[in-house]
Amino acid sequence: ARRWRDIPAGRRAIRCKLVFRKKMIGDKLDKYKCRIVAKGFSQVKGLDYFETWAPTVRDETVKICLTHAATSDFEIEQSDVSTAFLNPDLNEQIFMHMPDGMANIDDEGYSLVLELNKCIYGLKQSANAWFAMLTDHITNTMGFTQSDSDPCLFFKDIDGHRYLLLTFVDDILLIGPSTTTISDLQAQFSSKFKMTHLGPVAWFLQMEVTRDRTARTITLNNRHKISSLLEAHGMTDCKPVTTPMVDGKERLRAFIPEDLAPDADLSFQAFPYREIVGSLLYLTKTRLDLQLAIQQLCKYMHNHGPEHVVACKRVLRYLKGTLSIGLTLGGASSAPL
């Protein structure tokens, strides 16, 4: 802590807040979390931060690596870095107000602020600093090579076998034939970071991962997210339909308010169209059958009317009847992958 009057001229302290949330794994409560989060929107570029960009693993990379693991019957172990953004040192000089509940006056009556030495959640540069720190440890300490096609994919040849490592912020997947070797690699992570090793992957990026090792397949499913979406928008008891779009020549078109009758029902204006379509977009990772319908809905995010609301609800009704559908990867084959 430093006295407010000691802050260099021209600098100001950013504010922070307490964030409370529940961490869910599927539909089960894992734990309650509380974080002090900086209000990074008040940071000044070129003074409080510089570079902010940080990559996350591409969907295509995840799918092809899981396909490789399923077909080759490799192990897939998942780990999580606890409070990842608190690890990197902060290169910029940043001051922050005291969090609620902490004394902000010293014994002599002077106002106090915090000078940050480490990154915290909410700062604009935290993701960039964390990815640089993680990449440095994976490549320089653990000896992995970073892929040219995806910066979040790393590989290393050990005992004649290639091991793959995927990173998505603080989620890490290790893929390879030997559980012993993977455990050794996890121990190298634990020597640097506080880790939680979750065992064989069951959930990744809100997707349920189910393996059939006999058939050498992996199925990705979003049924829990779909159930939450239906519940959140009052569609839990809706009547299912067998197709996501109405089959016919008439297509959706931009809504023209002048076409409404004077006594038309205006309830469609309160429908959370953009919110639902945004959630549906995420589902296309595992539900390729939705892509055409959602592509059509996305064209009218800013000019949707009653017919668009009906089309959006139809997709939800279709999901109600197809909760169990997922994307199956891999499969036993005599041909090379």
Side-chain angles (χ1 to χ4, degrees), residues 188-220:
Q188 294 181 45
F189 270 115
S190 297
S191 66
K192 178 72 172 179
F193 309 111
K194 182 181 178 182
M195 305 287 295
T196 302
H197 301 301
L198 305 173
V201 62
W203 294 90
F204 189 63
L205 307 183
Q206 301 184 47
M207 297 182 293
E208 184 180 14
V209 182
T210 307
R211 293 196 74 167
D212 184 341
R213 303 199 76 150
T214 302
R216 296 197 175 189
T217 61
I218 288 177
T219 300
L220 304 178

Side-chain angles (χ1 to χ4, degrees), residues 166-204:
L166 300 175
T167 67
F168 189 98
V169 189
D170 57 354
D171 287 321
I172 296 170
L173 288 187
L174 276 164
I175 299 173
S178 170
T179 54
T180 302
T181 302
I182 291 177
S183 295
D184 293 340
L185 294 172
Q186 289 177 328
Q188 294 181 45
F189 270 115
S190 297
S191 66
K192 178 72 172 179
F193 309 111
K194 182 181 178 182
M195 305 287 295
T196 302
H197 301 301
L198 305 173
V201 62
W203 294 90
F204 189 63

Side-chain angles (χ1 to χ4, degrees), residues 86-238:
L86 305 186
N87 287 285
D89 292 326
L90 189 60
N91 296 322
E92 298 81 12
Q93 188 180 40
I94 295 181
F95 301 94
M96 187 178 76
H97 286 268
M98 289 285 192
D100 292 340
M102 290 185 65
N104 59 358
I105 304 293
D106 67 7
D107 296 337
E108 298 179 21
Y110 290 101
S111 298
L112 297 176
V113 293
L114 296 173
E115 181 176 358
L116 301 180
N117 296 319
K118 295 273 191 177
C119 292
I120 67 170
Y121 287 85
L123 292 181
K124 289 182 175 290
Q125 63 266 54
S126 292
N128 174 270
W130 162 246
F131 183 75
M133 183 180 191
L134 180 64
T135 301
D136 178 72
H137 181 71
I138 292 173
T139 55
N140 295 332
T141 303
M142 299 178 65
F144 277 78
T145 300
Q146 190 172 26
S147 170
D148 292 331
S149 59
D150 190 327
C152 296
L153 170 64
F154 304 83
F155 59 89
K156 181 179 182 180
D157 294 330
I158 304 174
D159 298 331
H161 297 285
R162 175 154 292 185
Y163 287 77
L164 303 177
L165 190 155
L166 300 175
T167 67
F168 189 98
V169 189
D170 57 354
D171 287 321
I172 296 170
L173 288 187
L174 276 164
I175 299 173
S178 170
T179 54
T180 302
T181 302
I182 291 177
S183 295
D184 293 340
L185 294 172
Q186 289 177 328
Q188 294 181 45
F189 270 115
S190 297
S191 66
K192 178 72 172 179
F193 309 111
K194 182 181 178 182
M195 305 287 295
T196 302
H197 301 301
L198 305 173
V201 62
W203 294 90
F204 189 63
L205 307 183
Q206 301 184 47
M207 297 182 293
E208 184 180 14
V209 182
T210 307
R211 293 196 74 167
D212 184 341
R213 303 199 76 150
T214 302
R216 296 197 175 189
T217 61
I218 288 177
T219 300
L220 304 178
N221 190 292
N222 274 124
R223 58 190 178 90
H224 293 283
K225 190 171 181 64
I226 294 172
S227 296
S228 298
L229 179 63
L230 294 174
E231 182 179 356
H233 298 288
M235 300 287 287
T236 304
D237 299 321
C238 64

